[in-house]
Each structure stands twice: as C-alpha cells, then as structure tokens.
C-alpha cells in the first residue's frame, strides 16, 4: 500500500498549539458559555474519533482573557499530560485546556485522519519523550521534534479509509447500543416508576418499596498483597478497579486491566462474584456501573449487587443508574468520599410481584447490547493490530 516515504518532524508539517484554562474564579468566563472547552477527562472513555464538546463551555470573555486558542474543525487533539495519549479530531471549532497539544495539519502534506492514527500507533514512543517530577508532560519543543515518515496523500487516504471503516462500524455499534439502552430505560420507568398505568395493566404492576439489602445479596471486594508476586503473576481471574469502569464506559465488561491468581483470591478479602452481577463503584468516582460477563473479583472500591429470581440484573442496572445522585449523596469520608455497604443496603428499591413480562422484554434489549459490545471488542482488536502495520 505504501511505497515511498518522506521524513519530516511534526513541527514542520503541522501548527502545534497549547491550550489554557480561563480563571475559574471568574464566573463570567464560564457561565452561559457557548464555546466548547475540552479537557483530557472529556476523552476518557470517549468512543468516537470526533469530539464536538466537553463537560464545560467557556464564554467569549473567557477566550479573550486566557491563552487558549479557538481551534478550527479538523484539528487533531492530543492529550499531553494526565494522561498522555488520548486522541480525537475536533468536529467543530473548540478550545482546550493546557493538557493538550493540538495539531492543525498542512493538508498539502498530511491528512488529519492519518495523523490521528499515527499518534495512536506511536503513543508509547511519544510517552517516552515526556518528563516532569510531579507528573509526566510532553513539552511543545519535544512535540515539534517528533519524527514522522509520510507516504503520499493518496496512500495516507487509503490507510485512513481502511482503519476508518473499522472505526465507523465501532461507532455505529455504539450508536445502536445507546438507542437500545434508551428504549430499555423507558421500559424500566414504565414498569417501576410511571404513575399513569392503563387500568388493564394495573393488576400486573403492583409496586412496593423495600430496602435493597433485604432482597438481594450485597458483596464487596479486596486487594491481594501487591508485594506478593504469586498473587498476581500469570493471574487469570479478573480483578476490577473503578478505573476499569471509567475507562470503559460500557454496560458489559469482560476483562480487567489486572488479574489475580487463585492463590491471591484465597489469601485476600477479594471474593469471586457470579457472572451478570452489578458492579457499582463506591469510591474514587462513585456510581459507575457495569455488568460482568464472567466470574470476577473487584478491589474494595465496589459494592456488588447479585441479582436473583425476584430482582433481575435489568432492574438493578436501571435502578442504580437512576439513583446515582442519591447514592453519591450518602457517601462520606474525610480523605475521599465513599458509600458504605451498610448505608447502601438502606436505599429503597421498588419491586413488583410479576416480573416475567418485564424481564422478557429487557432480556432482548440486553442480549443485543451484549452482542454488539462483544463485536466492538473484536473490531477494536483488529484495528489495534492493523494500525502499527499500516503506520510506519
């Protein structure tokens, strides 16, 4: 596919800009702002190549009174600290904080989509260029010097299209999953929250509120001693931390970043959790949710809710999702906020006598979501293996 290359440095073929943060003490720099302002956090778990906005906007006054720049559509955003290596393409004009190096491409030499995949392929090398004592950061000087071997524009386009086809399918799946989750949530609300139930169905939906701890099994997690290699080396038992959930942002999770051994499980407070339980992070970002596809363990930053014949995983998932703010409000602690199992068990959950029809409908939604999620994993694996082969 690629036959001839020319050697460049990124600073020779792109304009590289830093971002900035308007003073957070000035409410007028943020209130009612309409200018998208992106931070690395906005890219954590972001499943799409393009990004149009982050959690916060800034005002024109905020833009004028800071060193952040208004970046044009098509700019490639690369997080240069905390952490290094998130990449996205601006879907419209955006600004960023100081955690980015942003690339405006010379389109006569390099395509922005090719640069996007180049930065992904070279992430480890680029990370090695960072320095700093408090946290690693990639400097503007180092970024400009990053070497790149470029094929001609036609070859770049072919590479971007090949990898882009995989990403488009991934993004399509995420879109379908989002629609299915919305439909499932609507179904949950009808059965458990809606007050306007037709008379001919009221006999099926007779609700009562009970404490969650009275109707399901609540479990916790633990951490095997990290200094004991036999608890970790060649481990094959999933061991989830809250960061696994925040980086995934998916309903179903199959694999954790770290795994423990059977010996580690037996010599710690970690417990083996049955498949299709609800993992709820109870500290260090409270309220993140996932459903484990196979038996797993977690660290102590979780409350695990095990479904049963009366309370399905479908009900538990949406109950926890819609009660996230309540769960967060019950957390306490001086070093970091955490909700205890004891307090969690007191939260009320609505139950109904006959869940057969509800579970049947929800099963179909969740089965489709799980299948699409598994397909995404395969597509990502294919893309990630292909990218370094196509990007020299």
């Amino acid at each position: 596919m690629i036959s001839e290359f020319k050697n460049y440095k990124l600073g020779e073929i792109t304009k590289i800009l830093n971002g900035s943060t308007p003073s957070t003490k000035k409410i007028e720099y943020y209130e009612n702002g309409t200018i998208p302002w992106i931070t690395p956090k906005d890219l954590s778990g972001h499943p799409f190549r393009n990004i149009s906005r982050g959690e916060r906007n800034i005002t024109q006054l905020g833009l004028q009174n800071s060193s952040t720049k208004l970046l044009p559509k098509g700019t490639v955003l690369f997080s240069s600290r905390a952490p290094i290596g998130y990449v996205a393409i601006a879907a419209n004009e955006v600004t960023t904080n100081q955690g980015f190096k942003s690339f405006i491409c010379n389109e006569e030499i390099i395509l922005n989509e090719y640069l996007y995949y180049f930065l992904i392929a070279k992430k480890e090398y680029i990370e090695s260029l960072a320095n700093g004592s408090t946290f690693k950061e990639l400097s503007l000087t180092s970024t400009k010097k990053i070497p790149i071997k470029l094929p001609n524009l036609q070859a770049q386009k072919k590479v971007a299209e090949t990898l882009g086809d995989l990403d488009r399918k991934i993004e399509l799946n995420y879109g379908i999953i989002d629609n299915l989750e919305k439909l499932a949530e609507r179904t949950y609300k009808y059965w458990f929250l809606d007050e306007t139930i037709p008379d001919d169905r009221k006999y099926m939906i007779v609700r009562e509120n009970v404490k969650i701890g009275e109707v399901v099994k609540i479990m916790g997690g633990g951490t095997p001693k990290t200094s004991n290699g036999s608890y970790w080396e060649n481990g094959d038992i999933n061991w989830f931390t809250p960061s696994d959930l925040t980086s995934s942002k998916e309903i179903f999770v199959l694999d954790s970043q770290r795994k423990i051994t059977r010996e580690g499980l037996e010599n710690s407070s970690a417990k083996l959790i049955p498949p299709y339980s609800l993992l709820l992070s109870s500290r260090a970002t409270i309220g993140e949710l996932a459903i484990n596809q196979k038996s797993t363990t977690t660290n102590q930053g979780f409350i695990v809710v095990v479904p049963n014949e009366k309370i399905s995983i479908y009900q538990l998932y949406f109950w926890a999702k819609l009660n996230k703010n309540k769960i967060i409000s019950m957390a306490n602690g001086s070093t970091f906020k955490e909700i205890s199992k004891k307090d969690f068990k007191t939260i009320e959950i609505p139950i109904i006598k006959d869940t057969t029809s509800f579970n049947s409908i929800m099963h179909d939604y969740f089965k489709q979501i799980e299948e699409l999620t598994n397909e995404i994993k395969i597509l990502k694996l294919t893309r990630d293996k292909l990218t370094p082969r196509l990007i020299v």
Side-chain angles (χ1 to χ4, degrees):
M1 183 178 288
I2 301 171
S3 56
E4 296 182 3
F5 298 89
K6 289 186 178 180
N7 293 314
Y8 296 97
K9 290 181 172 60
L10 284 183
E12 297 171 341
I13 56 175
T14 67
K15 183 178 181 180
I16 307 173
L17 298 172
N18 287 316
S20 175
T21 300
S23 174
T24 54
K25 296 178 181 177
K26 300 281 189 179
I27 191 171
E28 62 269 27
Y29 292 171
Y30 294 92
E31 191 173 48
N32 299 319
T34 58
I35 302 169
W37 183 68
I38 313 292
T39 71
K41 182 183 176 184
D42 294 316
L43 294 189
S44 175
H46 183 72
F48 305 108
R49 287 169 299 170
N50 297 307
I51 188 166
S52 57
R53 58 160 296 155
E55 285 186 5
R56 302 182 71 182
N57 291 339
I58 61 173
T59 63
Q60 189 65 38
L61 199 59
L63 176 63
Q64 293 169 352
N65 288 276
S66 70
S67 55
T68 195
K69 306 291 191 301
L70 191 62
L71 304 169
K73 177 182 178 180
T75 299
V76 181
L77 315 178
F78 183 83
S79 65
S80 52
R81 71 179 194 190
I84 296 170
Y86 289 153
V87 193
I89 299 174
N92 40 251
E93 289 186 328
V94 302
T95 60
T96 75
N97 76 350
Q98 58 273 31
F100 283 92
K101 298 293 179 286
S102 298
F103 301 87
I104 301 173
C105 294
N106 179 342
E107 295 181 350
E108 295 181 356
I109 301 176
I110 184 170
L111 301 178
N112 65 343
E113 287 192 352
Y114 186 88
L115 177 59
Y116 170 87
Y117 290 113
F118 169 84
L119 293 170
I120 291 173
K122 303 299 181 181
K123 178 185 173 181
E124 289 186 7
Y125 166 72
I126 296 172
E127 281 182 309
S128 73
L129 303 176
N131 52 63
S133 54
T134 307
F135 52 80
K136 296 290 185 181
E137 181 170 9
L138 185 68
S139 71
L140 184 59
T141 300
S142 296
T143 307
K144 288 180 178 179
K145 293 179 181 178
I146 293 172
I148 181 171
K149 278 183 167 185
L150 274 184
N152 60 42
L153 290 175
Q154 184 178 2
Q156 289 179 46
K157 185 177 180 182
K158 287 181 179 178
V159 169
E161 285 177 347
T162 299
L163 297 174
D165 284 343
L166 291 166
D167 271 324
R168 276 185 284 277
K169 175 56 177 168
I170 290 168
E171 291 166 4
L172 176 63
N173 279 12
Y174 276 121
I176 297 171
I177 287 171
D178 184 59
N179 287 333
L180 287 168
E181 185 174 356
K182 287 175 181 175
L183 288 169
E185 183 172 323
R186 224 175 283 161
T187 301
Y188 170 83
K189 288 178 178 178
Y190 173 78
W191 283 83
F192 292 95
L193 301 178
D194 196 351
E195 296 298 333
T196 58
I197 304 168
D199 289 339
D200 63 345
R201 296 185 68 83
K202 283 185 177 179
Y203 75 95
M204 297 177 64
I205 308 177
V206 180
R207 304 181 189 125
E208 65 173 309
N209 288 328
V210 297
K211 293 177 180 178
I212 184 74
E214 296 175 351
V215 289
V216 292
K217 182 179 180 181
I218 308 293
M219 300 175 65
T223 301
K225 194 173 182 179
T226 54
S227 60
N228 191 326
S230 63
Y231 294 171
W232 300 89
E233 292 171 11
N234 301 315
D236 59 359
I237 301 171
N238 277 331
W239 182 75
F240 282 95
T241 69
S243 62
D244 285 312
L245 271 57
T246 55
S247 62
S248 170
K249 301 289 187 184
E250 293 176 348
I251 295 176
F252 289 96
V253 289
L254 181 61
D255 288 305
S256 57
Q257 289 183 8
R258 299 188 69 186
K259 299 180 190 297
I260 62 173
T261 63
R262 175 63 58 176
E263 188 180 352
L265 173 64
E266 292 172 351
N267 289 277
S268 72
S269 56
K271 299 175 181 64
L272 199 59
I273 297 159
Y276 300 100
S277 296
L278 183 69
L279 313 182
L280 184 150
S281 60
S282 56
R283 70 182 190 191
T285 307
I286 299 170
E288 294 296 317
L289 302 171
I291 299 169
N292 56 306
Q293 291 179 284
K294 60 183 181 181
S295 296
T296 190
T297 63
T298 74
N299 75 354
Q300 55 270 42
F302 283 92
I303 289 172
V304 177
V305 189
V306 182
N308 53 44
E309 292 180 358
K310 294 182 179 180
I311 311 288
S312 68
I313 187 62
Y314 321 123
Q315 180 183 351
L316 289 173
Y317 178 82
F318 285 110
W319 169 80
K321 180 182 177 182
L322 296 173
N323 280 277
K324 181 176 180 178
N325 289 337
K326 182 178 182 62
I327 293 168
I328 293 172
S329 72
M330 297 178 71
N332 52 65
S334 55
T335 307
F336 51 78
K337 296 290 186 181
E338 179 174 11
I339 179 169
S340 68
K341 289 196 290 292
K342 180 181 177 182
D343 289 337
F344 180 81
K345 288 177 179 180
T346 66
I347 304 175
E348 290 191 337
I349 182 172
I351 61 170
I352 56 178
K353 290 184 178 180
D354 184 4
T355 60
T356 304
S357 296
F358 168 77
N359 287 338
S360 176
I361 296 168
M362 297 296 272
H363 172 78
D364 291 341
Y365 287 138
F366 274 67
K367 183 179 179 182
Q368 290 180 72
I369 290 172
E370 186 175 11
E371 289 174 350
L372 288 165
T373 302
N374 292 338
E375 186 178 42
I376 286 171
K377 288 180 173 65
I378 295 170
L379 289 165
K380 284 182 175 180
L381 184 62
T382 303
R383 179 201 62 194
D384 293 346
K385 285 184 176 180
L386 193 57
T387 300
R389 296 177 184 177
L390 298 179
I391 303 290
V392 179

